């Protein structure tokens, strides 16, 4: 019922905010546990400290990043082939 | 200036460091200074962040990884065992994960990460850094004497505080922004308040520790940093460069201590030509040192006839450096 009262404007706004939140999440994960995909940034002693809180996001995030990487790799390959 | 007077006139300088290239006498001077302060009735901790344990050698006791070990009245010595520190820390992280999620075992992916992160060389450095914060923040002693690793590492160690601080600041800001968006989404969807962000609190905690440490290292009031040098050409060139770098990191230099000065009086005795030569060379460099550093030279320490190990030798050296 509550959903119903959303105006067009706020619906768009919410999806924008969610999107922003997700891309920030990516950036955050990258800067804290980036060494998981080969990009170490924060000193490891402190990234371990954050690890427990990131456990649920980690496999999701890793899959997302690897998918993106595969995609760009393929893309590069095709370009080279031209 | 004189070494003893610096301590007497600046009792607020509680964090004492001797820096310089390897083998010049940092550990020796740390021990002698700790000994002298302790015999003046001050409570002193001398600790080593060097993975190559050296306090054990000079005090002739195995203190590696044993926490603060009492050497004599008022004097404690500690050698940090980074490996042991990292192992205990890993265990703590695993425990936390198991408790938080009610797992029976650590998921493979996470365990692999813990292992990989711990194998990095930067892990040892950041673990030592953190251990030092622990020691110093506690504040139980009147004096903390850092037996530093050789210059390059010491600089790295000092610069790390700045780099860490900048990174943690950036990441904290990012996290804060994430949280704002989260709240906005919650408000728009009229959900319940978002719960407290524990990651943000962790980041703030980490920032607090890094700040505490770098504040001490660069505190002009509380820190005394002494350069150990010897009267030799190469050392003088290196020291001048290092002093510039230290200045860039705002490390306050309290003075230069010249070690291994061969007593001039020997010239009146029948000594072999090489020793005569050495004394003459040293005179030339001692003059240069005085020109370069002027009244920042706080002591000239003679070369003793044998290595400084054991309390008796330490006491003798302390007597030479600080007077009885
Ligand atoms: N004034 C001195 N006279 C004789 N031996 C010294 C003197 N200063 C240092 N040594 C010896 O030189 C060696 C290196 O000194 P150390 O303090 O371990 O150097 P660092 O900690 O800078 O690497 C040690 O064996 C020490 O006993
Ligand atoms: Mg040493």
């Amino acid at each position: 019922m509550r959903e119903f009262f959303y105006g067009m404007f706020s619906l768009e706004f919410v999806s924008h905010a969610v999107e922003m939140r997700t891309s920030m999440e990516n950036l955050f994960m990258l800067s804290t546990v980036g060494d998981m995909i080969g990009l170490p940034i924060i000193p490891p002693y402190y990234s371990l400290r954050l690890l427990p809180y990131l456990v649920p996001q980690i496999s999701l995030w890793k899959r997302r990043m690897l998918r993106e990487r595969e995609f760009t790799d393929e893309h590069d390959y095709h370009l080279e082939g031209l | 200036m004189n070494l003893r007077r610096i301590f007497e006139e600046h009792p607020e300088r509680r964090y004492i460091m001797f820096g310089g290239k390897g083998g010049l006498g940092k550990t020796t001077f740390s021990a002698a200074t700790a000994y002298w302060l302790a015999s003046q009735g001050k409570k002193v901790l001398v600790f080593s962040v060097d993975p190559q344990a050296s306090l054990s050698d000079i005090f002739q006791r195995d203190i590696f990884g044993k926490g603060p070990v009492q050497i004599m009245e008022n004097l404690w010595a500690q050698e940090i065992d980074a490996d042991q520190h990292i192992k205990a820390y890993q265990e703590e992280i695993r425990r936390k994960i198991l408790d938080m999620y009610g797992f029976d075992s650590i998921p493979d992916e996470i365990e692999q990460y813990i292992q990989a992160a711990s194998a990095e060389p930067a892990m040892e450095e950041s673990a030592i850094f953190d251990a030092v914060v622990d020691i110093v923040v506690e504040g139980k002693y009147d004096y903390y004497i850092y037996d530093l690793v050789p210059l390059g590492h010491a600089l790295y160690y000092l610069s790390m505080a700045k780099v860490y601080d900048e990174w943690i600041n950036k990441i904290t800001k990012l996290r804060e922004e994430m949280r704002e968006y989260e709240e906005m989404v919650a408000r728009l969807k009229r959900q319940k308040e978002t719960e407290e962000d524990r990651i943000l609190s962790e980041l703030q905690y980490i920032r607090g520790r890094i700040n505490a440490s770098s504040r001490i290292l660069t505190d002009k009031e509380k820190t005394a940093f002494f350069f150990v040098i010897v009267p030799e050409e190469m050392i003088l060139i290196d020291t001048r460069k290092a002093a510039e770098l230290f200045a860039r990191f705002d490390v306050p230099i309290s003075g230069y201590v010249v070690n291994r000065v061969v007593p001039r009086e020997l010239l009146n005795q029948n000594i072999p030509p090489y020793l005569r030569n050495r004394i003459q060379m040293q005179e030339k460099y001692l003059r240069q040192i005085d020109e370069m550093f002027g009244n920042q030279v706080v002591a000239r320490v003679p070369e003793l006839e044998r290595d400084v190990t054991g309390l008796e030798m330490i006491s003798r050296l302390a007597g030479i450096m600080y007077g009885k």
Side-chain angles (χ1 to χ4, degrees), chain B residues 59 108 125 157 166 278 309:
Chain B
F59 290 120
D108 279 351
E125 279 141 14
Y157 176 85
E166 274 164 30
R278 197 166 155 218
T309 45

Side-chain angles (χ1 to χ4, degrees), chain A residues 46, chain B residues 15 17 47 49 125-126 128-137 146 157-162 164-165 205-219 223 249 251:
Chain A
Y46 295 117
Chain B
Y15 306 99
M17 288 170 243
F47 64 96
V49 295
E125 279 141 14
S126 48
I128 289 175
F129 182 94
D130 197 76
V132 171
V133 181
D134 260 340
I135 292 172
V136 172
V137 161
Y146 296 54
Y157 176 85
L158 292 166
S159 63
M160 217 155 54
K162 278 200 174 176
Y164 280 12
D165 192 39
Y205 167 84
I206 294 171
R207 186 165 62 178
R209 286 180 72 83
I210 290 171
N211 281 343
S213 162
S214 64
R215 223 181 298 127
I216 287 168
L217 288 169
T218 56
D219 187 327
T223 302
F249 284 106
V251 179

Side-chain angles (χ1 to χ4, degrees), chain B residues 21-28 259-260 302-304 306-308:
Chain B
K21 292 195 91 167
L24 297 191
K26 296 181 296 297
T27 302
T28 307
N259 194 13
R260 288 193 177 275
E303 178 156 83
L304 303 181
R306 70 168 194 84
D307 276 1
V308 183

Side-chain angles (χ1 to χ4, degrees), chain B residues 59 183 190 217 292 300:
Chain B
F59 290 120
E183 276 168 2
R190 297 177 207 185
L217 288 169
M292 251 191 243
R300 281 185 184 181

Side-chain angles (χ1 to χ4, degrees), chain B residues 230-250:
Chain B
V230 294
E232 280 169 28
E233 186 168 18
M234 283 317 290
I235 300 297
L236 294 192
I237 295 171
D238 289 347
T239 303
R240 211 199 317 230
K241 280 192 213 142
E244 281 164 17
L245 277 172
F246 272 66
R248 242 185 273 161
F249 284 106
D250 290 330

Side-chain angles (χ1 to χ4, degrees), chain B residues 20 46-47 69 77 89 99 111 173 176 209 224-225 257 259 281-282 303 321:
Chain B
V46 53
F47 64 96
V69 175
Y89 181 61
D99 288 351
E111 180 57 33
K173 225 159 99 201
E176 275 161 0
R209 286 180 72 83
F225 187 97
V257 183
N259 194 13
M281 288 302 275
Q282 283 201 346
E303 178 156 83
M321 289 172 73

Side-chain angles (χ1 to χ4, degrees), chain A:
Chain A
M1 242 340 231
R2 196 195 269 165
E3 300 279 297
F4 183 80
F5 290 106
Y6 275 141
M8 269 308 269
F9 171 77
S10 62
L11 249 181
E12 232 170 67
F13 207 78
V14 168
S15 80
H16 172 70
V18 169
E19 213 174 88
M20 278 303 282
R21 176 66 171 67
T22 311
S23 69
M24 280 177 164
E25 171 100 37
N26 279 345
L27 192 57
F28 181 78
M29 296 294 282
L30 199 63
S31 42
T32 48
V33 287
D35 37 347
M36 273 193 156
I37 57 164
L39 254 180
I41 295 179
I42 192 183
Y45 194 85
Y46 295 117
S47 70
L48 272 195
R49 232 194 130 80
L50 298 175
L51 184 65
Y53 306 97
L54 302 177
V55 165
Q57 285 101 299
I58 275 175
S59 47
L60 250 173
W61 170 75
K62 246 177 99 176
R63 240 178 290 138
R64 200 158 60 213
M65 293 311 276
L66 289 176
R67 208 167 42 229
E68 270 174 36
R69 190 148 75 179
E70 259 164 40
F71 175 77
T72 31
D73 283 354
E74 240 169 63
H75 201 65
D76 284 350
Y77 178 76
H78 286 313
L79 279 179
E80 264 167 49
L82 282 176

Side-chain angles (χ1 to χ4, degrees), chain B residues 22-23 25-28 48 50 52-55 147-150:
Chain B
K26 296 181 296 297
T27 302
T28 307
S48 174
D50 193 340
Q52 255 130 30
S54 44
L55 290 172
D147 176 19
L148 281 177
V149 290

